Amino acid sequence: MDILTPWLRSYLPALSVTDEQLAEDLTLRGIAVEGTFAIANGTRYEMDITTNRVDAMNHYGVAREAAAIYNVPLAPLPATAPLAADKPGDSFPVTIEARDLCGRFTARIVRGVNVKPASGLIAEYFAALGQKPISGPVDVTNFGWLSMGQPTHVFDLDTLEGGIIVRRAKPGEKLRLLDGTEKTLVAEDLVVADEKKALGLAGVMGGWDSRVTETTKNILVEAAWFDPAAIRASSRRHGLHTDASHRFERGADFAAAPLANNLVTRLVVEQAGGEVIGEMTDIIIPALAAKTADRPTIALRVSEVQRHLGTTADGLGISESIVAQYLTALGCTLTQTAAGEYAVKLPSWRLDLEREIDLIEEIARVYGYNKFANTLPTFIGTVIELPHAEQEHTIRTTLRGLGFSEAISSTFCSAEEATLFTTASAVAIGNPLSAEAGMLRPALTPGMATMIANNLHRDVSTVRLFEMGTVFNGSTAEVIEHTGLSLGLTGSAIANSLYRAEDALFYELKGALEALLAKFTGAVTFDTNELPAWIALGRGARVLFNGQPIAVFGELSATEQQRRKLRQTVALAEVNAAVLLAAPLRQPVSREISRFQAVERDFSFLFPDTVRWADIDSSLRALKIPELQSIGPVEIFRDPKGKAVAAGTYSLLVRVVFQSTERTLADEDLTGNSSRIIAALTALGGVQRA
């Protein structure tokens, strides 16, 4: 937003620093001036105000910051509006039905106005800001929020039918807005209405039918406080982002409504004439006031301020008088409760202040971070490595060595993906950014699938990614966090004699998991039980570590690939990394290399499809042949036509390596060991091929 220094200085008559110095000092205090531009009587600042500082998104708020920095008085805003002493009247009737969404509503009548273009300071300031003039009363409302940050609205009083009612919209209710568009409202929308119709979308935009025009003679001035979440939801639901919604959805000042109403009413009379009739209506909902303007006090200890902030550059430190000076200038009210201790009443416009440490941070900010001595905190002891640091390092280095790149995905996912990718309970977010990010992720695979898809949609056809991060289960009452691991790959898998080309991606992922789990002490087995719905039928498996499920992996189902518009096979794995982090790593053991010749022997067998490699491997190792150094599959063959190999069976070539550390193996050693191997394979249901 833009700020004019002549406007700022009208609230700071004693301010003597130059505009350049003011810009620098504000920036150092977190009220950033991104650019300065010369104007006729001063400077226009281009500001970058963070979203938590809505109180500084106006001239008076920035002036308050400058007053605190330089310890100069801040001129008050006009507290009252001129009343027509000879024309008293009743205050305008207002009813708040949506008492959970509207905490305060003020209204005041001005009769006999003559609508014309704004003049004087309003016209001058608007020209410097590049603000488009509309009409006197409307320009006054814009001047009001630019001045003090509180949005207001003016209605043509003669278009209203009965009193004001602040209520939820009726489902399907139509409302034509000031921009000329017609919106169909839902029950979650908050509207300002009269007794017959909706007049405007509360906190977002006024309505067309009650707008002020050149023919308007009587005006109703409104200023209110609306629930930030409700305004944010309506603004996004209807695709409207206005100056009013920008402020209301970040938390407006609950106490500012009557002050803003008075300011706008006074300026309406100055710009358009007329008379103020009756007292101002001011309806307050105590429950919402207690959450904003009437929040409990915060206990502040000067000793804690000094402990946290340490030594200042001048060596004097932060004194008790400085603490009181800065907090009072920022709008806090301090009541001393003991020596060096205060109960701090928070200003209604600073909803970002909640704890003692927030007040300490404010003191440091206004004092100036650049005015503290450069000191390092004291440290006693040594660096202690986390108990699972070595396991975490092993996981990352192993996967990188296998060609995977580490990635980071969003912590959120949709309810649909949360249900699809895991059976664990997912935690819903109270105020989600969108329906696609309404849940804390219960697994990493939704984010991994999205990252793979993003790469493919950008013509990156070969992808190998892994992510290790926190996943969330439980409920909003109790969120359980643990570490998860996900792998994802697609494209350029290499086939060999053990499997077909279309199976290469699956087996590459299986091999990566085996290589990873081999780093940890424990037995690894596979089965196909209880696979989730996202895995294609017959294209996935479950991994068991010491007999307990630790991972599932497989190819993404055709339904999911179509939904994500993927044109090539994608394989994913979800691993419970918390189990690995708690498991001991295998310790490398060295042994002397044998000086004697190794001998290879191949065994070709037909096996039923029910016999798996794990059965074969464990059966041969159970023989406990001292000279048996390695066992491995060399070639596997199936005949879809059932001619060379019968249907329901497969041909497997098993290669073993014999080697002794003590002597050269004789023919009788090899023959005896080979016979034992043949017997073991036959016992599994295998038939030796000639």
Side-chain angles (χ1 to χ4, degrees):
M1 65 172 297
D2 290 345
I3 294 291
L4 303 179
T5 57
W7 200 340
L8 276 183
R9 292 180 183 275
S10 69
Y11 302 127
L12 301 165
L15 186 64
S16 58
V17 300
T18 64
D19 289 352
E20 291 76 12
Q21 186 64 48
L22 175 60
E24 182 179 347
D25 291 339
L26 286 171
T27 302
L28 288 173
R29 270 73 177 184
I31 310 298
V33 179
E34 295 290 314
T36 59
F37 306 90
I39 59 174
N41 298 315
T43 307
R44 174 171 62 85
Y45 291 160
E46 187 177 279
M47 310 289 291
D48 182 16
I49 310 296
T50 55
T51 55
N52 67 314
R53 291 302 308 275
V54 65
D55 64 290
M57 294 179 182
N58 58 84
H59 286 77
Y60 199 75
V62 176
R64 185 189 296 116
E65 290 289 319
I69 294 169
Y70 300 113
N71 194 24
V72 296
L74 178 66
L77 288 165
T80 60
L83 294 175
D86 57 335
K87 290 190 178 180
D90 296 330
S91 57
F92 193 82
V94 173
T95 303
I96 300 178
E97 291 184 355
R99 298 172 68 85
D100 58 331
L101 302 182
C102 178
R104 192 168 197 171
F105 198 97
T106 66
R108 200 167 220 173
I109 298 171
V110 182
R111 293 190 179 276
V113 299
N114 179 23
V115 176
K116 57 185 179 181
S119 59
L121 279 178
I122 295 179
E124 179 184 332
Y125 288 160
F126 277 23
L129 289 170
Q131 179 82 20
K132 180 182 177 181
I134 301 173
S135 67
V138 176
D139 292 342
V140 163
T141 64
N142 290 331
F143 183 89
W145 68 257
L146 287 168
S147 173
M148 60 176 295
Q150 171 66 35
T152 56
H153 189 67
V154 287
F155 298 95
D156 186 327
L157 183 62
D158 296 327
T159 64
L160 306 189
E161 300 176 84
I164 289 290
I165 302 173
V166 186
R167 58 172 172 82
R168 284 179 167 82
K170 301 170 185 177
E173 187 173 9
K174 304 291 186 181
L175 175 61
R176 189 182 183 192
L177 298 173
L178 285 173
D179 61 359
T181 62
E182 184 177 76
K183 301 295 181 181
T184 301
L185 307 181
V186 299
E188 290 76 18
D189 289 324
L190 182 66
V191 296
V192 177
D194 59 21
E195 296 177 5
K196 301 291 185 181
K197 60 186 179 300
L199 302 173
L201 192 58
V204 181
M205 187 178 291
W208 179 271
D209 295 334
S210 59
R211 74 192 190 281
V212 171
T213 66
E214 293 81 0
T215 61
T216 297
K217 297 301 180 186
N218 303 304
I219 284 176
L220 182 71
V221 180
E222 166 258 307
W225 183 94
F226 301 115
D227 177 69
I231 302 308
R232 185 184 305 114
S234 286
S235 175
R236 293 182 178 177
R237 186 180 300 119
H238 297 291
L240 297 169
H241 183 80
T242 63
D243 293 321
S245 69
H246 187 81
R247 283 152 181 80
F248 276 125
E249 67 185 35
R250 286 162 175 77
D253 179 2
F254 192 93
L259 191 62
N261 196 309
N262 286 332
L263 174 64
V264 170
T265 301
R266 180 178 65 83
L267 292 174
V268 165
V269 173
E270 287 182 2
Q271 293 288 324
E275 297 175 308
V276 181
I277 307 298
E279 297 291 337
M280 179 173 59
T281 303
D282 188 3
I283 308 297
I284 298 175
I285 306 301
L288 293 180
K291 296 179 180 180
T292 53
D294 299 331
R295 288 173 293 163
T297 59
I298 295 177
L300 177 68
R301 296 158 290 177
V302 175
S303 60
E304 282 297 287
V305 176
Q306 295 168 341
R307 183 179 73 85
H308 279 283
L309 301 186
T311 308
T312 56
D314 58 12
L316 300 178
I318 300 295
S319 65
E320 188 169 344
S321 61
I322 289 177
V323 170
Q325 173 190 320
Y326 287 161
L327 292 182
T328 301
L330 291 173
C332 299
T333 302
L334 278 65
T335 303
Q336 190 162 14
T337 56
E341 297 183 7
Y342 294 88
V344 180
K345 174 67 176 175
L346 300 172
S348 58
W349 55 84
R350 289 299 302 272
L351 299 180
D352 58 316
L353 303 180
E354 297 178 346
R355 303 170 297 164
E356 181 184 39
I357 194 65
D358 296 332
L359 298 176
I360 295 173
E361 183 181 359
E362 284 298 288
I363 294 166
R365 184 181 65 80
V366 178
Y367 183 81
Y369 293 119
N370 58 321
K371 296 181 180 179
F372 288 94
N374 294 323
T375 58
L376 293 174
T378 57
F379 176 74
I380 300 174
T382 59
V383 176
I384 300 175
E385 191 175 62
L386 293 175
H388 52 71
E390 189 175 1
Q391 286 88 341
E392 187 174 324
H393 176 72
T394 298
I395 292 172
R396 286 191 161 94
T397 54
T398 300
L399 292 175
R400 291 190 190 113
L402 292 169
F404 288 79
S405 299
E406 186 167 8
I408 300 175
S409 66
S410 172
T411 311
F412 312 118
C413 68
S414 67
E416 180 184 2
E417 289 186 328
T419 304
L420 174 69
F421 282 92
T422 180
T423 57
S425 57
V427 181
I429 302 171
N431 186 24
L433 297 174
S434 66
E436 290 73 27
M439 313 290 287
L440 288 174
R441 62 185 183 191
L444 295 178
T445 35
M448 180 59 67
T450 299
M451 291 189 292
I452 295 286
N454 288 340
N455 277 273
L456 291 177
H457 295 158
R458 289 162 177 78
D459 297 327
V460 181
S461 59
T462 300
V463 184
R464 302 290 186 274
L465 297 177
F466 80 92
E467 178 180 12
M468 186 161 58
T470 304
V471 295
F472 308 86
N473 304 122
S475 64
T476 52
E478 183 181 6
V479 180
I480 302 170
E481 301 182 17
H482 63 89
T483 304
L485 172 67
S486 180
L487 283 70
L489 62 164
T490 186
S492 298
I494 301 174
N496 61 28
S497 58
L498 292 176
Y499 43 77
R500 300 171 299 172
E502 54 265 35
D503 299 330
L505 202 66
F506 173 87
Y507 284 108
E508 181 182 341
L509 180 55
K510 178 177 180 288
L513 291 171
E514 288 180 303
L516 175 62
L517 295 174
K519 300 290 185 179
F520 296 86
T521 302
V524 179
T525 55
F526 299 85
D527 66 27
T528 56
N529 301 329
E530 301 177 6
L531 297 182
W534 61 266
I535 295 180
L537 187 64
R539 308 296 292 175
R542 187 174 66 156
V543 187
L544 287 79
F545 187 69
N546 291 328
Q548 298 299 316
I550 190 176
V552 292
F553 69 98
E555 295 176 1
L556 204 59
S557 67
T559 302
E560 274 302 292
Q561 293 209 163
Q562 184 177 5
R563 186 170 73 86
R564 296 173 184 274
K565 300 179 180 179
L566 304 177
R567 297 182 179 180
Q568 64 187 54
T569 303
V570 173
L572 303 175
E574 181 77 31
V575 184
N576 185 355
V579 175
L580 292 182
L581 295 179
L585 291 166
R586 290 188 186 275
Q587 299 302 317
V589 177
S590 63
R591 62 181 181 179
E592 184 180 355
I593 298 175
S594 176
R595 297 182 294 111
F596 302 100
Q597 180 69 35
V599 180
E600 292 181 351
R601 286 289 184 268
D602 291 344
F603 302 90
S604 180
F605 270 77
L606 290 173
F607 286 105
D609 284 343
T610 55
V611 178
R612 301 184 179 184
W613 172 253
D615 303 323
I616 297 170
D617 184 73
S618 60
S619 178
L620 297 185
R621 294 189 186 280
L623 297 175
K624 295 184 178 180
I625 300 173
E627 295 83 10
L628 184 60
Q629 300 299 316
S630 68
I631 308 166
V634 178
E635 184 179 283
I636 188 170
F637 175 71
R638 285 184 174 87
D639 186 0
K641 297 180 180 180
K643 294 181 179 180
V645 176
T649 65
Y650 62 93
S651 173
L652 177 67
L653 181 65
V654 180
R655 177 169 295 165
V656 301
V657 176
F658 297 111
Q659 187 178 34
S660 172
T661 59
E662 300 174 349
R663 58 189 175 83
T664 300
L665 295 176
D667 287 341
E668 55 268 23
D669 298 321
L670 299 174
T671 301
N673 290 337
S674 297
S675 298
R676 295 176 65 189
I677 290 174
I678 292 170
L681 296 178
T682 302
L684 289 174
V687 176
Q688 188 173 17
R689 303 186 70 184

